[in-house]
Amino acid sequence: MQRVWTARAGESKDPWHEVDMKYAIKPKSSSNFTLGTGDVCLYDIKIQFSDEVTQQFDNVNVCRGQTVNAT
């Protein structure tokens, strides 16, 4: 993964905020990110791979420890 963006679930008008990644995430590995502050639990997460393909995961409940697995 080369780039990651997050947005509060359901937010409109270009809600995406890019995550400051220190390095790319290699295949078959994992990484943790801090998403926002306060009591917001639902986020949309968009990732981009080195070939510029993107995947989006909607309504990820970070308060319940829900994770995403990009393929």
Side-chain angles (χ1 to χ4, degrees):
M1 282 191 313
Q2 297 293 110
R3 300 173 76 186
V4 177
W5 298 268
T6 64
R8 289 182 180 198
E11 203 171 279
S12 61
K13 297 183 181 178
D14 194 26
W16 296 104
H17 303 281
E18 189 164 2
V19 173
D20 182 22
M21 295 179 59
K22 305 294 184 210
Y23 52 87
I25 301 170
K26 295 180 182 181
K28 298 182 182 180
S29 62
S30 64
S31 186
N32 295 316
F33 299 97
T34 301
L35 302 178
T37 58
D39 59 355
V40 176
C41 290
L42 295 178
Y43 282 89
D44 297 336
I45 300 170
K46 182 168 46 173
I47 62 168
Q48 182 181 51
F49 298 97
S50 59
D51 61 1
E52 297 188 10
V53 170
T54 60
Q55 275 189 312
Q56 185 170 325
F57 303 89
D58 295 325
N59 298 310
V60 177
N61 191 327
V62 297
C63 293
R64 292 188 178 169
Q66 186 177 3
T67 62
V68 298
N69 293 310
T71 56

